[in-house]
Amino acid sequence: MSRASLQSLARGKLLPAVLGLAGLVVVFSPSSAAPASPVDRTLRLEARSFEYSPSVLTVNRGDRVTLEVVALDVVHGVHIDGLGVEVTADPGQTARLSFVADRAGAFTIRCNVTCGPLHPFMLGRLSVAPSDTPWRVVLLAGLAVLFGARLPPPRSPVRGASAGHLAP
Amino acid sequence: MALGLLGRETAARIAVGVAGLGLPVALFGAWQWVHASQPVTLHARMSEVGGWAPEVLRVEAGRPLELRLISDDVVHGFAIGQSQVSPIDLLPGQVVTTTLTFDAPGSYSYYCTRWCGPNHWRMRGVIEVTGPEVNTAAPSPPLYEVLGIDLDAPHPAAVVPQTRPSAARGAQLGLILPEDLTSRDAYASRSPAETWRALRAMPVTETLTDDQVWDLVAWIWRTQASEAALQQGAELFAQNCAACHGEGGSGDGVMASSVVAGTMGPVEATGPADFTDASRALGASPALLHGKISRGGMGTGMPYWGPILTEEEIWILTDYLWTFQFEE
Amino acid sequence: MTRYELTRSPGVRRLLQSRWPQLTVQAVALAGLALVIASALLGTPVGNRNFAIVMVWIAWWAALMLVAVPLLGRTWCSICPLPLPGEWLQRGAVLGPRGRGFGLGLRWPKRLRNLWLQNGAFVLVALFSLPVLTQPRLTGLLLAGLVLLAIALSLVFERRAFCRYVCPVGGFIGLYAQAAPIEVRVRDATLCAAHATKTCYTGSEKGYGCPWQVYPGALNANTYCGVCMECLRTCPYDNVAVNLRPFGADLSEVKGRGLDETFKAVLLLGSGLAYSGVLLGAWSTARLAAANIGSIDWLVYAAGFLAFVLVLVPAFLLLALRAGLWLSGSRLDILRAVRAFSPALIPLGLSLWIAFSLSFLFPNISYIFPVMSDPLNLGWNLLGTAGLGWTPYGPALVPLLTVGVVLVGLAWTSRRISATAESLGGRAGLALPLLTAAFVMAAGALWLLVF
């Protein structure tokens, strides 16, 4: 194939379609990673204004997780986005939050009890392995670059010399 | 034409004047008016930034006191000391209104019911209820005073059990013990170590080991409180004590290091008491514990619960504390 | 490129030329600002229950970032209440014109006629933002301070000096307005060339000369046009039009781009990344340091932030550009290349800020309802919603939207990079390192926001 025809191929409708298909493959192809067998996990989560310790929790998919939430200074809470579970913890009374991590991915842990000025930024992360979503997203980003870079640029008169001029 | 223009401009000026100046002035006025009238606005703040504001409320006996409660920082709670009225949780920024009526004149303590920092227990205020004096009997002196116990003196137990004493094992020994060891008064006025010594000296326990005599002590202690009372004691402990003393009673609560850091005066900074430490715990009588809880720790960071908990509640707590030493 | 002129319809033109609709919306905005400042100074110090914090940093910010700027360009600036009191005093009229107003009417100093002051203001605000965002009193003081500053500047300098050269949000809005599908342009430039008095800039009895110090006849980008409609009123030929146009039509414009604009684009991209990491990332160390103004931690954070947005990110992009120039064997002057390529960063930067805003908006939008029922925290319940608690909205949706928005921004930026490379000679390899740099930054942003 000549260079010119390759280029015209790239700029035609074929490449975007190919990239679109590749994107669908990246998004919907099933995960190949073998998940670890689920276990019962008890994790201690300390809550202090305005952070969680540890700030990232890692469990495996299917694990039956119990979080022991220990509030260190004032009343805090734990709410896990996406799993929709939450609990409130008073200092001196460890609160227990039990759930099954049935979906892989990253879930934000938030404080759901106002605990001071930085309360909306009291965030942590629950990472449920195995999750290849980061890799898929990276691949999609690569496809996005290819898609954007190879699209024909907008047809426009050469700009820069005159003031804004309208097409009739 | 010019007049028409002037008319439009004036109308426009009035419109923006109302929006930009009139509105804020009106809002400020509304805010002032609300705050100058009933209900009184009571702000809950962490002790470190001032505590309750205003700290002192005044009302006449029999007249309703309307309160608008709002927390300015973290979760607090509002309750009246020694009262059966349910505590009111105060979520930050949310206004809660309540009405209180006091029949008898006097000074009523109000306090915070949700842990809001190391100085949570200092978050207290007073409601002065005025009115015609009611003749009440003078309160009787607390038991530790009657017994002449020095609350601040160390109270080590000379002998400690090798294994954790069990009330069930003590019951199984099948002994009949004299009233002057098992009565409520006897229980309250003697430490477990003293009771142990008294039991050890009795002929009927000669064949028992030291630990078995401890089991008898555990049995005496356990029979002082019902299951329901112990449950209530556990709740009181969890809400009021565990933050410093630890959920397991070992003195390692989340606030423990703050207590050590905040200890004032000439007292030694030892931190919250460890109820699992046998040599200390078994040398303290219930009367001493009751006194400590009521009067507080005089600079050690142990709060004084006298105005807050009723006598019954303090005794229930005292009866619960032994579960850190003795098994059922 | 096709454009559709909205003011083609006489009804629309009359609506935009009339001062009453605009004034009505401005009065509402002014009332909103008054309520915001009142509640910031009088209401509860608890941020998420304070009308000011919630309505400004959640509601207004979301409306600005998700709707106003991407779709309507700088239209917010036409109704923004901050400069209004100053402008009315300066003009001596609310409708107008009616002769002289108050003030000295000095010209803005020549050395400051660029974006550098705004760039600096933006960086300052960014460093001190966390306490301002979360404490009502500080938000109130900031807004009141900006109003007073705008009044002062209006009484000393001519036109909208605050808006054009000082407002910290203005630089941000102006830059990203270039991506919007709406614009104000003249229909026929030759008509302007023949018009001697240029009333669009000097003013007439129908309206004021452009408060934004723009000559509408030469307007070719949305960056500095505040959509205030004065030029529609003053042009005797009705030669100024409001057009609908494709997204990002300004991004291929290179004329008139100074280093200040270029740097702004880089600054906003870098700070978008920094904000995502510091405010919404899982690690709290930087976040807590950012809030603890004046402490050693904060100084370390400030140094790190400044190094990142002022040095690291620009250096990274510059390196990518140099690599591209070297790869393609181009002899293009680096400064010219920088000026040419910086508009290409705008879609990615905007998408990062949108993604950041989405990540913050959805979990916190529920605060809007109780706050509207009790704006001064006196126990009112105007709309019956005062007792509503917090609940996150669409938690499963947020990662999807975030990723989607950033991918769209990345694709668009890639397209702009590639198109710019073409227009500069089109040699192979020129765009490649910059495309890689964009990819790295987008991937980094996604990692911070979603994982």
Side-chain angles (χ1 to χ4, degrees), chain C residues 86-316:
Chain C
E87 187 167 69
W88 290 330
L89 283 173
Q90 185 192 73
R91 292 176 173 179
V94 169
L95 302 174
R98 304 184 57 239
R100 271 212 65 177
F102 306 97
L104 302 172
L106 299 179
R107 300 205 68 202
W108 186 254
K110 195 152 191 220
R111 281 183 160 237
L112 295 174
R113 273 191 226 145
N114 48 47
L115 285 179
W116 291 113
L117 205 55
Q118 276 174 317
N119 286 348
F122 181 81
V123 170
L124 262 180
V125 168
L127 278 180
F128 290 91
S129 59
L130 212 43
V132 172
L133 289 187
T134 53
Q135 291 177 46
R137 307 286 180 254
L138 295 181
T139 289
L141 288 176
L142 175 71
L143 291 175
L146 289 177
V147 172
L148 292 175
L149 181 62
I151 293 178
L153 289 176
S154 288
L155 293 177
V156 174
F157 298 103
E158 57 171 358
R159 310 180 193 238
R160 279 199 174 196
F162 171 79
C163 301
R164 173 84 196 243
Y165 297 113
V166 181
C167 177
V169 196
F172 181 108
I173 299 181
L175 186 79
Y176 289 139
Q178 294 174 78
I182 210 167
E183 66 180 13
V184 175
R185 301 282 189 271
V186 294
R187 288 150 124 192
D188 180 1
T190 54
L191 209 50
C192 301
H195 184 210
T197 45
K198 309 256 192 294
T199 48
C200 57
Y201 190 77
T202 57
S204 71
E205 79 280 358
K206 292 265 184 59
Y208 298 91
C210 178
W212 293 85
Q213 303 186 25
V214 165
Y215 167 50
L219 200 55
N220 65 350
N222 285 350
T223 323
Y224 304 107
C225 167
V227 197
C228 68
M229 301 299 150
E230 288 300 328
C231 51
L232 261 78
R233 295 168 189 137
T234 49
C235 178
Y237 304 112
D238 275 349
N239 195 23
V240 186
V242 178
N243 307 317
L244 225 49
R245 64 180 199 175
F247 282 91
D250 290 341
L251 297 180
S252 46
E253 289 290 328
V254 203
K255 174 179 185 288
R257 276 187 202 288
L259 208 53
D260 57 339
E261 270 190 49
T262 306
F263 193 75
K264 171 132 236 127
V266 173
L267 184 63
L268 282 176
L269 186 55
S271 50
L273 277 172
Y275 259 54
S276 300
V278 172
L279 292 187
L280 299 182
W283 312 273
S284 42
T285 318
R287 188 152 58 231
L288 292 178
N292 204 359
I293 307 257
S295 67
I296 301 286
D297 282 350
W298 180 79
L299 285 171
V300 172
Y301 159 76
F305 178 84
L306 290 174
F308 184 74
V309 301
L310 297 179
V311 178
L312 277 169
V313 170
F316 180 61

Side-chain angles (χ1 to χ4, degrees), chain B residues 6 8-9 12-13 16 19-20 23-24 27-28 31 34-35 68 70-73 92-95, chain C residues 20 23 27 30-31 34-35 38 42 44-46 49 88 92-95 98 374 376-379:
Chain B
L6 191 62
R8 294 213 311 272
E9 170 71 21
R13 287 185 191 184
V16 300
L23 184 64
L27 288 173
F28 182 68
W31 185 82
V34 163
H35 279 273
R68 180 190 298 112
I70 186 169
S71 160
D72 286 355
D73 42 29
Q94 290 182 254
V95 175
Chain C
W20 286 104
L23 187 68
L30 194 61
L35 182 55
L42 300 175
T44 178
V46 177
R49 282 276 162 175
W88 290 330
V94 169
L95 302 174
R98 304 184 57 239
D374 193 6
L376 291 179
N377 306 106
L378 295 171

Side-chain angles (χ1 to χ4, degrees), chain C residues 420-437:
Chain C
T420 310
E422 283 243 348
S423 75
L424 287 178
R427 290 168 188 251
L430 181 57
L432 200 57
L434 212 54
L435 287 172
T436 314

Side-chain angles (χ1 to χ4, degrees), chain B residues 241-264:
Chain B
C241 321
C244 294
H245 287 283
E247 290 170 69
S250 337
D252 61 352
V254 295
M255 302 290 178
S257 52
S258 307
V259 170
V260 173
T263 303
M264 299 184 291

